[in-house]
Amino acid sequence: MSDTTQSLDLSAVDAYLRDHLPGYAGPLEARKFDVGQSNPTFLLKTPARNYVLRRKPPGVLLKSAHAVDREFRVQSALAGTDVPVPRMYLLCEDDAVIGSAFYVMEHLDGRNFYEPTMEGETNATRTAVIDEMNRVLAALHSVDIDAVGLSDYGPPGNYFERQLSRWTKQYRASETDTIADMDALIEALGQEMPADDGQRTLVHGDYRIDNMMFEKGGTRCLGVLDWELSTIGHPYADLAAVIMQWQMPPGKEGRGLAGVDRAALGLPTDAEFIAAYCARRGIGGIDRFGFYLAFNFFRMAAIIQGVYKRALDGNASNPERARRLGQYVGVFAQNGLRALRG
């Protein structure tokens, strides 16, 4: 495993920030966050303030993956909108500095909920946090992409056709074993592709509670994080991603709500969350939601396969967890087939 996946050349980072980041002053300390499987992320500590550095992993990477430049661009564009994001400070695309491209952003001093059950919180807090999650999602899909300069952030055409093609290629490029259910799901999604309804919005691509930061002691969202999979696409992909996550088992691995008595915890049903989202966006309802749910299971299976392949190749951000996740590709494919069948 490459040491640069887990650590930083602090002297190189310090020298670069002294030259390029106004107001920066060392000495500099760094600590790697142990969450996330894609782009290694570090807390940078200085006497005056803290920052966050997010970098591409080193080594051979799949084409178009780990695009930290896109993350930097989209979050910069969202500054001043109703979608909360951390402030972007600088982007370095010169691999010679630390071995891969990186960007530096504001460190949000808030709290993060790793699971939607939010253990230890009151029912009122859980209800409010999930409603805020719903509000931010609707706000994201209401952003005027032309006004914020993101109209070219994704290609035109049927988003789901495009994504099915992209992630099938990514999956094949990182495939280590033949998984019959995954092959069947890919074929079925192609056959049941809905017609393009003309909706074209900014989508996050990995929208879930653990990719959000909330204020300490409150329920207001301070920032949505991890924009690597963002693009211009179809809003129902993000909405279905939330519901997909909730169908996973509860706990640190699944981080879902399967089998949980939601009413007892102040959490909404899937239908209630979808209805609140539709009300905020002024739409009547969503037909064939099973397709969008199945698509998300497929894409997550493809992502997990890529994480697993990077672990085998020695380039995973968290190798031990990556290997464990790799065992779930078939499970996600099975869930996708089940969702597609209603």
Side-chain angles (χ1 to χ4, degrees):
M1 180 182 64
S2 172
D3 289 338
T4 52
T5 302
Q6 305 297 328
S7 61
L8 283 175
D9 183 340
L10 279 187
S11 60
V13 173
D14 178 67
Y16 188 86
L17 296 185
R18 287 180 188 275
D19 290 340
H20 296 88
L21 181 56
Y24 169 81
L28 177 66
E29 299 178 15
R31 174 178 62 83
K32 183 179 180 295
F33 291 105
D34 59 4
V35 296
Q37 284 297 324
S38 187
N39 294 326
T41 307
F42 299 82
L43 174 64
L44 304 182
K45 302 181 70 174
T46 74
R49 64 175 60 87
N50 294 338
Y51 307 90
V52 171
L53 181 150
R54 193 159 159 88
R55 67 176 297 179
K56 276 189 177 185
V60 178
L61 304 174
L62 293 174
K63 184 180 179 181
S64 79
H66 313 283
V68 294
D69 56 325
R70 286 177 61 83
E71 288 190 20
F72 184 85
R73 178 187 173 189
V74 68
Q75 290 175 95
S76 297
L78 288 171
T81 71
D82 289 335
V83 182
V85 289
R87 179 183 174 187
M88 298 293 107
Y89 289 121
L90 60 83
L91 170 68
C92 175
E93 297 182 274
D94 182 359
D95 290 352
V97 177
I98 63 169
S100 63
F102 68 92
Y103 67 91
V104 176
M105 64 181 173
E106 174 189 10
H107 174 248
L108 298 176
D109 186 19
R111 59 175 177 165
N112 174 256
F113 300 108
Y114 191 69
E115 299 177 49
T117 49
M118 291 175 265
E119 185 176 351
E121 298 297 329
T122 65
N123 282 17
T125 294
R126 292 189 187 98
T127 299
V129 165
I130 296 300
D131 189 62
E132 174 73 344
M133 187 179 179
N134 189 287
R135 181 197 69 78
V136 172
L137 184 61
L140 169 63
H141 297 155
S142 300
V143 168
D144 185 332
I145 57 176
D146 295 324
V148 299
L150 291 176
S151 57
D152 65 341
Y153 192 63
N158 189 312
Y159 171 75
F160 292 104
E161 283 185 353
R162 191 170 83 231
Q163 287 283 294
L164 179 60
S165 175
R166 174 193 173 185
W167 286 106
T168 298
K169 290 175 183 175
Q170 298 278 47
Y171 173 73
R172 298 303 183 199
S174 59
E175 193 173 13
T176 51
D177 295 291
T178 298
I179 300 175
D181 285 332
M182 191 63 170
D183 292 340
L185 180 58
I186 291 170
E187 182 178 1
L189 286 170
Q191 292 174 346
E192 301 193 26
M193 183 74 58
D196 191 353
D197 64 3
Q199 292 196 66
R200 192 169 186 267
T201 71
L202 179 62
V203 294
H204 180 272
D206 196 16
Y207 193 81
R208 57 179 196 248
I209 196 168
D210 52 302
N211 278 334
M212 305 177 74
M213 189 68 67
F214 295 86
E215 62 183 347
K216 291 181 176 178
T219 59
R220 180 174 61 91
C221 178
L222 298 180
V224 181
L225 307 173
D226 196 357
W227 290 83
E228 184 193 349
L229 299 178
S230 63
T231 187
I232 301 301
H234 201 289
Y236 297 165
D238 275 345
L239 178 62
V242 176
I243 305 305
M244 180 207 73
Q245 187 67 47
W246 289 354
Q247 292 195 3
M248 294 291 98
K252 289 187 177 181
E253 289 295 331
R255 291 175 287 173
L257 294 173
V260 170
D261 185 346
R262 298 194 199 181
L265 295 179
L267 297 171
T269 64
D270 293 347
E272 288 169 341
F273 188 87
I274 293 169
Y277 168 88
C278 289
R280 282 188 161 109
R281 290 200 60 220
I283 55 181
I286 300 174
D287 294 327
R288 297 183 61 194
F289 191 78
F291 173 87
Y292 307 116
L293 189 57
F295 164 78
N296 273 280
F297 277 119
F298 152 73
R299 187 178 61 177
M300 187 55 64
I303 291 170
I304 291 173
Q305 181 62 41
V307 169
Y308 179 63
K309 182 64 161 57
R310 287 202 306 278
L312 297 181
D313 292 343
N315 292 323
S317 179
N318 187 331
E320 182 181 346
R321 184 163 184 267
R323 290 189 177 90
R324 290 201 309 272
L325 283 174
Q327 310 307 310
Y328 289 97
V329 175
V331 175
F332 274 83
Q334 290 170 12
N335 288 340
L337 288 170
R338 192 174 300 116
L340 204 58
R341 293 163 183 160

